[in-house]
């Protein structure tokens, strides 16, 4: 199956705006993959599929995660906003039959990030911030950083996430802090 086939699969699962977002993330991921030397086809596929279960009910997501043998940490179990990334990777594995670990992880960690991310994982994490339709305060900084280097973009994206979560008094996943510390310590 190619990107167009996957586009057809997500179309009935997502509202118009999220479908457009998914296509834009896929395009942005292709652009960054070409710029930074990642697998372009995998970037396109992970991008189009990254939010595949974002509009799926919590019950159904729990079911998918269970079937895929995924166990949630206490923080993950309490943070339903993180579920779609986790259930999304489970869905594309068990329902769509995707067995490429890098694509599965790119979907799995597109919201939290994690320490030791692959090139593809970083590209999907960043593309979700910088896709064409994004217009939140701070998007220009992340876009500029993405033109400079993936590391600079990771720092901007992770700082944005951590600041936003703390500002809203929400929990911050350890994976997110690991990713942040890793890229900050490498810079020094
Ligand atoms: Fe997402
Ligand atoms: Fe997204």
């Amino acid at each position: 199956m190619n990107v167009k086939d996957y586009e057809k699969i997500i179309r009935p699962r997502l509202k118009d705006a999220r479908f457009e977002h998914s296509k834009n993330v896929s395009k942005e991921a292709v652009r960054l993959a070409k710029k930074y030397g990642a697998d372009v086809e995998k970037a396109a596929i992970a991008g189009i599929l990254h939010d595949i279960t974002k509009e799926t009910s919590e019950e159904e997501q729990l079911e998918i995660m269970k079937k895929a043998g995924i166990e949630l940490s206490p923080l993950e179990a309490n943070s339903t906003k993180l579920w779609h990334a986790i259930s999304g990777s489970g869905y594309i594995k068990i329902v769509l039959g995707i067995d490429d670990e890098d694509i599965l992880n790119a979907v799995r960690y597109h919201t939290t990030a994690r320490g030791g991310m692959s090139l593809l994982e970083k590209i999907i994490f960043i593309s979700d911030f910088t896709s064409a339709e994004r217009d939140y305060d701070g998007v220009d900084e992340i876009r500029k950083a993405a033109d400079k280097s993936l590391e600079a973009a990771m720092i901007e994206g992770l700082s944005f996430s951590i600041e936003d979560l703390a500002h809203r008094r929400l929990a911050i996943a350890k994976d997110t802090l690991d990713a942040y510390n890793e890229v900050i310590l490498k810079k020094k």
Side-chain angles (χ1 to χ4, degrees):
M1 286 217 271
N2 61 30
V3 184
K4 284 285 160 203
D5 299 317
Y6 290 126
E7 199 175 299
K8 278 181 206 135
I9 289 172
I10 62 158
R11 176 61 284 213
R13 301 182 58 87
L14 303 174
K15 294 194 184 91
D16 290 354
R18 186 157 285 115
F19 178 62
E20 288 305 318
H21 164 69
S22 299
K23 286 197 293 184
N24 288 342
V25 169
S26 183
K27 272 185 214 152
E28 174 72 348
V30 165
R31 187 181 77 85
L32 293 177
K34 284 179 182 160
K35 186 171 166 70
Y36 292 114
D39 187 308
V40 172
E41 176 77 4
K42 287 187 192 186
I45 291 171
I48 198 77
L49 294 175
H50 81 288
D51 274 341
I52 189 166
T53 55
K54 186 118 183 192
E55 293 171 17
T56 303
S57 73
E58 290 180 357
E59 292 70 27
E60 212 178 308
Q61 288 189 68
L62 283 171
E63 194 63 32
I64 294 162
M65 292 187 279
K66 202 173 146 195
K67 269 192 201 148
I70 298 167
E71 273 187 50
L72 297 178
S73 70
L75 183 143
E76 287 167 346
N78 272 292
S79 312
T80 50
K81 282 230 184 296
L82 301 181
W83 287 10
H84 79 282
I86 306 169
S87 67
S89 75
Y91 187 92
I92 66 171
K93 184 177 184 173
I94 61 174
V95 180
L96 304 186
I98 292 176
D99 57 8
D100 185 289
E101 285 297 325
D102 209 13
I103 294 177
L104 296 175
N105 287 329
V107 172
R108 168 71 180 78
Y109 296 102
H110 84 261
T111 308
T112 57
R114 65 165 175 169
M117 291 171 97
S118 71
L119 194 55
L120 183 69
E121 289 175 56
K122 288 178 187 165
I123 282 172
I124 298 302
F125 178 78
I126 294 162
S127 301
D128 201 17
F129 280 103
T130 57
S131 56
E133 85 293 348
R134 295 291 202 194
D135 62 355
Y136 55 86
D137 280 347
V139 69
D140 288 340
E141 280 67 39
I142 306 184
R143 287 202 176 110
K144 262 182 227 150
D147 284 338
K148 247 198 283 166
S149 72
L150 275 186
E151 282 60 43
M154 289 303 291
I155 290 176
E156 288 308 310
L158 288 161
S159 305
F160 182 91
S161 282
I162 291 169
E163 283 167 17
D164 178 59
L165 289 165
H167 184 72
R168 289 154 61 204
R169 307 293 186 257
L170 294 171
I172 298 167
K174 196 173 165 294
D175 281 332
T176 307
L177 297 172
D178 286 344
Y180 176 78
N181 289 337
E182 183 184 288
V183 73
I184 290 291
L185 291 171
K186 244 186 224 160
K187 207 182 132 197
K188 293 203 169 144

